[in-house]
């Protein structure tokens, strides 16, 4: 078939509907909202891919997934081959398929969304993320993820600080090279933000559990309840005999509003609210095991994906009225449109152009309300978004017996004590050579959010993969060890 006719044939295929739980049903459970494709539907959706020679979708992917190659295999029913194609470049494709903002990465560059069909109708991009999750889930559930043939043990060992996306990628890549890997994390269980930040309705935890079991089969060790900087330092790790250290501690320090009343009971940082709402007490540190009290009126401050996670968690916990307060308009929000639409469908009330002024409490020190003020948009600020300006005499009070603050994350300054000789900047982000991810201290590498600031799972993965290559080269430069 001539190429132009083949392209028109593919463009004529309409996007396969993406099935979801109805809002009335899903707000009563913690299962994933998306129900996923079946094999026949996935094959049809993959056929919409135009197999572009330049593959702009692949170029837009931080880990460079061969998306056309994977979909060519899926199109002919080779699900296992398609899954392996994603695994060639990504350590967590099941998770990235669920969590990546594809609309501004691969799907944002999909040529299908820009092409005009013969009937002058435009279709959405190929559902790249949903297909990535489908093929890798299908492989796991029907075939299992194949274990690589491991080389003889190198004798070298690497300590990986932080068992989140970057650390998991480093561990997998180094284990495949025959190096010993031990991951340390301050939380009781490994997974980092994947376990302690992502709600269950966006990511079924069995996906992560399966990945951790796979890594254990590769020989990776996990050590929880170990806060590097408090319980152990980088110096201690070298003293224990590790030959290199990777620091992937993320950016988990929640931002504060610094307004009156923030110390009242019933006010939570976003992470604390999410972990208490989504996890079992035995998965939490001792000081966080007290459950969230029943709440009637929940107010969440912030406009990103974390704030959507909080409001949607509040709905599932049974709150009668859930409000999201954001100081700009919806068009300036940085999170995913998909997440906001889900929150609206689930009954969340959005108060745009609104800024919190102070928390109000009762005589027992518990929050009862949030005083706010309406805003108007002025000239753009340094972010390029129009700056919110208070409107005089527009104050009002929102009832609230629980509040969650979701206004961004920062790196923990404890890294300065934990890693002597490792240079950080004024935001406590670790400075690295961008090619090798080596820090200013030889043998210590870093990557992910503690280098980039709060960012995406996939960018942390990309950092981890590059760092693993550099660590392997570094270990190869050391004196040979007895195997």
């Amino acid at each position: 078939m001539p190429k132009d006719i083949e392209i028109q044939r593919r463009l004529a295929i309409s996007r396969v509907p993406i099935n979801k739980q109805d809002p009335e049903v899903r707000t009563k459970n913690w299962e994933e909202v998306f129900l996923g494709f079946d094999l026949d539907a996935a094959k049809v959706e993959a056929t919409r891919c135009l197999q572009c020679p330049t593959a702009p979708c692949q170029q837009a992917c931080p880990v460079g997934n061969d998306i056309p190659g994977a979909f060519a295999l899926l199109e002919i029913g080779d699900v296992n081959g398609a899954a392996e194609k994603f695994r060639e470049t990504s350590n967590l494709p099941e998770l990235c398929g669920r969590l990546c903002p594809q609309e501004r990465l691969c799907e944002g560059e999909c040529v299908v969304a820009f092409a005009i069909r013969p009937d002058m109708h435009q279709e959405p991009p190929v559902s790249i993320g949903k297909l990535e999750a489908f093929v890798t889930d299908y492989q796991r559930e029907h075939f299992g993820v194949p274990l690589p043939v491991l080389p003889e043990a190198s004798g070298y060992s690497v300590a990986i600080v932080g068992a989140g996306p970057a650390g998991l990628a480093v561990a997998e890549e180094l284990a495949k090279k025959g190096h010993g890997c031990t991951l340390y994390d301050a939380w009781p269980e490994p997974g980092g933000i994947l376990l302690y930040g992502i709600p269950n309705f966006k990511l079924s935890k069995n996906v992560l559990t399966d990945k951790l079991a796979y890594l254990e089969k590769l020989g990776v060790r996990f050590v929880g309840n170990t806060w590097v900087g408090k319980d152990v330092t980088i110096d201690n790790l070298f003293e224990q005999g590790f030959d290199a250290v990777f620091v992937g501690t993320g950016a988990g320090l929640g931002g504060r509003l610094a307004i009156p009343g923030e110390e009242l009971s019933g006010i939570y940082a976003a992470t604390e609210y999410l972990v208490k709402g989504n996890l079992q007490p035995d998965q939490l540190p001792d000081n966080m095991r007290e459950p969230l009290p029943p709440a009637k009126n929940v107010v969440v401050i912030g406009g990103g994906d974390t704030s959507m996670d909080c409001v949607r968690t509040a709905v599932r916990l049974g709150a009668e009225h859930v409000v999201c307060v954001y100081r700009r308009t919806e068009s300036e929000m940085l999170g995913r449109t998909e997440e906001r639409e889900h929150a609206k469908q689930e009954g969340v009330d959005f108060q745009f152009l609104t800024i919190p002024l102070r928390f109000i409490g009762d005589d027992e020190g518990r929050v009862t309300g949030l005083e706010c003020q309406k805003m108007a948009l002025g000239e753009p600020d340094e972010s390029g978004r129009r700056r919110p300006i208070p409107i005089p005499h527009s104050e009002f009070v929102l009832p609230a017996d629980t509040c969650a603050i979701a206004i961004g994350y920062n790196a923990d300054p404890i890294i300065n004590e934990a890693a002597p000789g490792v240079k950080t900047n004024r935001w406590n982000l670790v400075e690295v050579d961008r090619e090798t991810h080596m820090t200013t201290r030889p043998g210590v590498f870093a990557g992910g959010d503690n280098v980039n600031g709060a960012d995406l799972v996939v960018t942390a993965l990309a950092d981890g993969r590059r760092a693993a290559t550099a660590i392997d080269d570094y270990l190869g430069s050391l004196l040979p060890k007895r195997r």
Side-chain angles (χ1 to χ4, degrees), residues 187 227 230 272 276 281 284-290:
W187 293 101
W227 195 315
K230 294 181 179 178
E272 182 179 6
K276 287 187 172 184
L284 304 177
D286 291 342
N287 64 345
M288 295 180 70
R289 293 187 175 182
E290 183 179 351

Side-chain angles (χ1 to χ4, degrees), residues 2-13 44-57 67-69 71-72 75 109-118 123-128 131:
K3 187 175 181 180
D4 57 341
I5 296 178
E6 173 65 8
I7 289 174
Q8 291 305 318
R9 181 185 75 83
R10 291 173 178 269
L11 285 175
I13 303 171
V44 172
E45 183 63 17
T47 306
R48 296 181 63 227
C49 175
L50 301 181
Q51 295 295 315
C52 306
T54 56
C57 56
I67 296 162
F71 291 169
E75 185 179 336
E109 297 297 324
C110 179
V111 174
V112 171
F114 302 101
I116 305 296
R117 306 197 312 180
E123 280 284 330
V126 177
S127 300
I128 298 172
L131 289 177

